[in-house]
Every structure is written in structure tokens, then in C-alpha cells.
Amino acid sequence: MEDYIKVKREVGNRKDEMWYAFLQDLKAGLCLTLGYLFKKKITMQYPYEKSTAEWSIPLRWRGLHALSADENGRLKCIMCLQCMKICPDHCIKIRFSGAGKERVLEEFTVDLSRCSACGLCFEACPVNSITKAIVPTEKYELSVYSREGLVYKKEDLLKNWYDSVKSRIALEKAENMKKEEVKKEEKSVES
Amino acid sequence: MEGIVRDVIIALIKIAIVLGGVALGVAYSTYLERKVAGWIQVRFGPMRVGPHGLLQPIADGLKLFIKEDIMPRQADKLIFYLSPVICLVPAFAVLAVIPWGPDFYITDLNIGLLYIFAVASLGIFGIVMAGWASNSKYPMLGGLRSAAQMVSYEVSLGLSVIGALIFAESLSMVGIVEKQMTTGVWFVFLQPVGFVIYFICGLAETNRLPFDLPEAEQELVAGFHTEYSAMKFAFFFLAEYTNMIVVSSIATTVFLGGWGSPFAFLGIEFPRSLGIVKSVLDFGMPIFWFLLKVFLLMFFMIWVRWTFPRYRYDQLMNIGWKVLLPFAILNIIFSGLEFTLYEELDWYLFYPLAWLIMGVMVVFGFRLIKNFDQFSYSKMREEGIE
């Protein structure tokens, strides 16, 4: 764009007819495109390279669902059923046994064949321990060969979480927080 | 009798090599076109089929062979089938007289250049007939535009090479190149104005982009070949790119010294001790230089295509009749003067003088054209036509 403005200014300033008679306006245009001919190409060869040095999927990308777990491998889900209730397409199915604090999550299914990717489930989740309990990952290649493949069970969702970059970031954050807590405790003990 | 048989066989082999080579060249010029287009737009161009997309033209060719051949129900069947052939045959027929090397050309007609202009202009019939036979509005418009454009630019194209012919004193393609070899100067240095006019008209004749009104994608879908598909479409495509090669070859022959090496003035010759390698090099190097010059001109045509926007129809006509034709005629007058100077003067006096006169001619011609326009505008205003 800057080049274009430069050429335009040059053409605009030199409006005397001899400039046109010796084809200088055409030369300016040709030089511009020749410059672009040798510029570094910005195309990403998609299926072969999925991210380049300049570009990768942003962290806030709302891709495939995942059920997050804490550093000990326990699911963060508290079975409040908020995501199931808010989902406009009824694609989340939750089943648990027990009552009170002894509740055990038995089934957590996300049916992506119905999901409209509105993202309401991520927003509705009340859990806030570094991440929410149900989180979007950066994975965006969701096509499968059968309809059954689109139904993600609890184990699949947990696997999504461990495959995603977010789990590693969350783990680091959790470790840092632990260290800070230890330091604080030491300080309070000293004082 | 034996002699005749041998001549026929040699001619057939030459024809096969030239046609095969040109067909391959056409295939890979589409590759070049797409690559350069990509690079100018900061893309890669074809990359998937083969390393760096090198097999892409072959894949395209196969696709065109296999595709379904559709014909509109209302079309004029005979002419619809005939027009791609009429478009292609003149393009190939012209290749007969193009001198690829000192010992490698199909034939050397003594009216070579005249033959080229006569035959090449027949290709327009194919385009006009295609536009008519399709019985549909876009092809019709494309065909009509093409007819008008070709008639306008054929005149300047023919006149632009006359300046070079004055110096060559021959119409034979081989003769023109040999003249440039013996005098040691390419005609582009004697006739730059002629070269520029020739090249612009060549772009218009091959329907390339600043002048591709017959097939303007945005207005006419694909112009005259909108209704064509599969092999018939491939014929048009082949004809267009063959024409590009032909126009570049003629420009190389007439203006850029044909097969002559740009380092000829150094006087280097391959030493005799090389034996058979020397004879191979002596045969191959001129062809290499010729093809290199053709390649550079082709590249320039593609470069121009991806740089400039298309002209409006009236602008196209204005350039053809009001700019190129006057300049072509002025150039002929100037060439006569230049030739007498060339005969009389030494080179260190001749070149500065010739180029000075040339500059004055361009300036004068440009003023003249501007006055034309102002004259016609004032006339129009007087008569109340705007």
C-alpha cells in the first residue's frame, strides 16, 4: 500500500506530457510489480504446514471442546449442569451418581453433529480454577468419517485437553502459583 | 527421387520437433504465467502437482482431454466445430518460417515476414466465427470486439516493422537475422520506436491484458469462448499461447538479433580442439540464445498482464488509431532519413544524431496527437456533440 501511494504521488507530481510520451508512467507500474515478484511469499501451505513463524492459531480460538483436569489428573467439572442447561442445541449430556460432595461423573458427552459452536457452554461454566471445567481448544480440524465419530465421550474430551496447548500452560501456571504460595507461607512464618 | 524422399523425411522430422517443442513450450508458458501471477501477488502459484507444481500443465491438459464436451443447442454446429481449428491452424502455420537457429528452420521463404502477417491475421476468423456460432450474447460481443480490435491493430503492426525492413533490405526471416549478424547491430538500437509500437500491437493481436477486450472476464464471462469446453476450449487456449510465442519470436528475429549472441562483439569462438563438442555447441548455442530472448519477451508480456488494468473500449480505439498509427507512419518517414544517415556517417556521429532525431520525433508526435484531440474536442463542442 505504501508503495502504491509512493507511485501515485510520483505520477501525480509529474504530469507534464513528456513524462507520458516516454512511457515513464508504465515504467513506474512495472517496477512496482517487479518488486513484489521478489518479495517473500506469505502463503501458508495448509495441509503440509499448519502454522508458520508469523502465524499460528491464537490461544483464544474456540475450537474443539475439552474437559479440563487439574495437575493431579482430577476433572474440574463440578456437575452443576449449567452447560447442559444453556446449550441451545442440547448437545451436552451429563450423568452422575451419588449425592452431595460424593458425586461421581459417569457420563459427559458432547455431540458435535448438533453443536453450533455458539460458545455458551464455555461462558456458563462457573468453575474458575486457572481454567474453566469445559474449555475450547485450538484444534479446528473436526471432520470424521462417520457420525459416531462426532460424539465425544468423557475420555475423548479429557484426551482433547491433554492434546491441547492449554493443558501445558495451565500446568505451568499451577506450578508457579504453588511456588508463590510456598514463598508467602515462608515469609509469614519468618515474620 | 531419393533426394526428394530424403528432403521430405528431413522436413517431417523438423516439423515434428518444432511442433512438439512449441506444444511443450505452450504448456509450460501457462505454468510460467501462473507462477509469475502468483509471485507478483505475493503467492506461490501452483505448488502441489510435482515438485513446485512442475507437472501442473500436464494435469491441466489431461483434465481438458477428459472433460465433457458441451455444445449449446442453438449453436451453428459446423462453424462451432470449425472455429477452434481455424484459430489454431494459422498459429501453427506461422511457425514454418521462424528461424530458431542458423541451421534449424523448417523453411526460408523469401517473403517470410509477409507470409507471417498474411497467415497470422487469418486467426481472427476463428474468433469471430466462434463468437457468431455460439449463438449467445457474450461470445457475440467478444467476437465483434475482437474483429474491430484486430483490424485496428493489424495496420500499425504491419507498419511498425517496415522501419526495420528498410535496414534489413529483405523480407526473409533468415536474411533479416543474417543482416543483423553481419552489420553487428540489432535493429532495436536503430528502431526503438518501431520495437515499442510492434510490441504494443503484438499484445493487442494476441488478446493479452491491457487489450484483452474480446475475453474480458469481468464483463463478458470469457468472451468468444464462453460456450466452449474440453478440447475445443483447449484449442483456443493453445492458439492464444502459440500466438504469444510467435509474436515474441518475430520480435526476436526482426528487432533483437534472432539467434545472435549478445556477446558476439567479443568475437569468442569455441576452440577447434573440442572436436564434436564444438559442433554440438555451434548448433545449440544460437538456438539457446533465440529461445532465451523469446522467453524474456514472454516473461515481459506476462509481467505486463499482471501490472496494468484493461483499457476501456473507446480508449483502445483511441490508442490504436490516434497514437500508434501516427507514430508508425512517422517512424517510417524517420527510418528513411535514418537509413541515409546510416549509409553516410560514421557510427560515433550516427548514433547520437539518430537518437536525438528520434527523441525529437517522439516529442513532436506526442504534441501532434494532443493537438488532434484538442481539435476534435473543439469541433465537437462547436457542433454540440459531447
Side-chain angles (χ1 to χ4, degrees):
Chain A
M1 196 63 202
E2 281 170 16
D3 296 335
Y4 170 72
I5 291 166
K6 210 172 82 189
V7 169
K8 209 181 165 194
R9 197 178 295 142
E10 208 176 316
V11 173
N13 289 345
R14 300 286 303 278
K15 277 235 167 115
D16 51 305
E17 58 200 32
M18 286 313 110
W19 200 67
Y20 291 120
F22 291 98
L23 306 179
Q24 294 302 298
D25 47 343
L26 303 185
K27 199 197 85 188
L30 285 171
C31 287
L32 181 68
T33 42
L34 191 68
Y36 273 92
L37 191 69
F38 297 112
K39 260 191 186 159
K40 196 172 173 293
K41 309 296 172 260
I42 54 173
T43 311
M44 195 169 84
Q45 298 269 300
Y46 164 62
Y48 304 127
E49 45 174 18
K50 296 191 174 167
S51 60
T52 56
E54 288 93 38
W55 192 88
S56 61
I57 295 279
L59 264 182
R60 295 178 65 182
W61 181 265
R62 272 193 344 215
L64 192 61
H65 302 65
L67 267 181
S68 62
D70 61 9
E71 62 273 20
N72 302 324
R74 281 180 306 183
L75 285 178
K76 288 176 187 171
C77 182
I78 56 168
M79 288 150 276
C80 63
L81 309 186
Q82 289 288 335
C83 46
M84 192 175 107
K85 283 172 192 159
I86 203 163
C87 181
D89 308 314
H90 309 293
C91 43
I92 300 178
K93 200 187 205 177
I94 302 175
R95 203 153 54 79
F96 59 88
S97 59
K101 292 215 164 180
E102 276 81 45
R103 279 182 298 182
V104 180
L105 188 63
E106 286 187 348
E107 191 189 339
F108 194 111
T109 311
V110 179
D111 187 357
L112 282 186
S113 64
R114 279 194 253 155
C115 176
S116 64
C118 61
L120 285 175
C121 47
F122 310 131
E123 282 169 31
C125 186
V127 179
N128 194 8
S129 67
I130 304 174
T131 61
K132 300 210 167 189
I134 180 165
V135 288
T137 60
E138 71 283 349
K139 198 182 169 201
Y140 55 91
E141 291 157 316
L142 307 179
S143 47
V144 285
Y145 287 104
S146 65
R147 284 189 178 211
E148 288 72 39
L150 283 171
V151 180
Y152 282 80
K153 298 261 164 51
K154 194 176 87 176
E155 295 77 36
D156 306 326
L157 292 170
L158 196 63
K159 192 173 163 284
N160 288 346
W161 165 252
Y162 284 118
D163 287 347
S164 122
V165 196
K166 276 187 182 172
S167 65
R168 261 171 278 145
I169 295 168
L171 203 68
E172 269 175 34
K173 241 182 181 174
E175 278 173 11
N176 288 345
M177 277 164 78
K178 230 179 207 171
K179 276 177 198 167
E180 273 174 31
E181 264 176 38
V182 171
K183 272 182 193 170
K184 263 184 198 172
E185 272 176 25
E186 280 172 3
K187 269 183 189 173
S188 60
V189 168
E190 277 168 24
S191 63
Chain B
M1 189 63 200
E2 262 181 30
I4 296 171
V5 171
R6 201 194 60 200
D7 285 354
V8 166
I9 289 173
I10 288 175
L12 282 179
I13 290 171
K14 276 180 177 172
I15 291 169
I17 292 172
V18 168
L19 284 193
V22 168
L24 199 72
V26 165
Y28 276 90
S29 59
T30 63
Y31 175 75
L32 181 75
E33 170 108 46
R34 294 173 66 179
K35 269 292 185 197
V36 172
W39 288 337
I40 284 178
Q41 295 165 359
V42 209
R43 298 185 283 114
F44 282 122
M47 284 292 277
R48 294 294 159 81
V49 190
H52 285 262
L54 268 171
L55 299 177
Q56 186 70 48
I58 293 160
D60 283 344
L62 276 177
K63 183 199 77 179
L64 285 172
F65 265 115
I66 295 163
K67 264 190 144 179
E68 189 191 353
D69 200 0
I70 300 167
M71 187 155 92
R73 202 179 298 156
Q74 300 280 312
D76 191 328
K77 289 209 171 63
L78 178 69
I79 300 180
F80 194 77
Y81 272 108
L82 209 58
S83 46
V85 182
I86 290 183
C87 214
L88 186 63
V89 167
F92 273 155
V94 165
L95 296 173
V97 292
I98 287 170
W100 309 94
D103 308 314
F104 192 69
Y105 43 83
I106 294 173
T107 180
D108 177 24
L109 282 182
N110 57 354
I111 50 154
L113 206 58
L114 191 64
Y115 165 80
I116 285 177
F117 284 125
V119 173
S121 55
L122 286 178
I124 311 149
F125 280 112
I127 292 176
V128 177
M129 280 161 72
W132 173 256
S134 301
N135 205 353
S136 147
K137 37 187 171 317
Y138 293 135
M140 182 71 201
L141 278 172
L144 288 178
R145 281 182 176 192
S146 159
Q149 179 179 328
M150 296 292 179
V151 168
S152 316
Y153 280 78
E154 195 82 43
V155 184
S156 319
L157 187 78
L159 292 178
S160 66
V161 291
I162 287 182
L165 291 185
I166 291 174
F167 284 93
E169 296 169 320
S170 161
L171 271 168
S172 145
M173 295 295 264
V174 179
I176 292 169
V177 178
E178 273 167 0
K179 187 79 181 180
Q180 292 178 74
M181 299 283 277
T182 48
T183 53
V185 56
W186 298 354
F187 290 153
V188 69
F189 297 113
L190 301 170
Q191 286 288 323
V193 179
F195 178 63
V196 170
I197 294 171
Y198 175 83
F199 204 78
I200 295 172
C201 293
L203 284 174
E205 285 290 302
T206 50
N207 296 333
R208 293 292 299 175
L209 211 97
F211 308 105
D212 73 335
L213 285 124
E215 44 193 290
E217 296 96 348
Q218 291 85 353
E219 328 159 12
L220 299 184
V221 191
F224 60 90
H225 56 59
T226 305
E227 305 290 353
Y228 282 85
S229 55
M231 270 321 282
K232 294 210 275 292
F233 170 72
F235 271 30
F236 279 121
F237 210 65
L238 201 61
E240 189 189 326
Y241 279 86
T242 312
N243 274 328
M244 265 172 83
I245 292 180
V246 165
V247 164
S248 309
S249 309
I250 298 167
T252 307
T253 315
V254 177
F255 291 104
L256 295 178
W259 61 71
S261 151
F263 306 112
F265 62 91
L266 296 175
I268 299 168
E269 278 196 11
F270 300 113
R272 202 164 282 205
S273 56
L274 285 170
I276 191 135
V277 179
K278 177 184 156 61
S279 51
V280 169
L281 280 175
D282 278 345
F283 182 74
M285 283 314 278
I287 298 179
F288 166 75
W289 287 120
F290 189 90
L291 294 182
L292 183 74
K293 287 170 194 172
V294 170
F295 168 78
L296 288 177
L297 282 175
M298 294 275 285
F299 173 78
F300 189 76
M301 283 172 124
I302 293 167
W303 181 15
V304 163
R305 171 170 181 181
W306 297 100
T307 304
F308 301 130
R310 183 180 307 124
Y311 283 110
R312 221 190 316 136
Y313 193 69
D314 60 323
Q315 290 172 333
L316 175 94
M317 284 297 154
N318 273 350
I319 293 169
W321 290 110
K322 286 188 182 167
V323 182
L324 293 178
L325 189 64
F327 263 116
I329 292 168
L330 264 179
N331 190 44
I332 294 172
I333 299 166
F334 158 75
S335 305
L337 178 67
E338 195 188 15
F339 187 62
T340 33
L341 289 178
Y342 184 72
E343 301 268 271
E344 298 292 324
L345 295 176
D346 287 330
W347 65 271
Y348 53 86
L349 276 175
F350 166 71
Y351 281 102
L353 198 62
W355 280 70
L356 187 74
I357 299 172
M358 208 137 38
V360 171
M361 180 187 80
V362 170
V363 172
F364 170 71
F366 208 75
R367 286 267 159 83
L368 196 72
I369 289 156
K370 252 196 138 184
N371 287 343
F372 269 171
D373 264 12
Q374 273 163 6
F375 177 70
S376 58
Y377 279 137
S378 61
K379 205 70 175 169
M380 272 198 273
R381 236 173 269 131
E382 272 174 25
E383 293 170 10
I385 309 158
E386 193 67 76

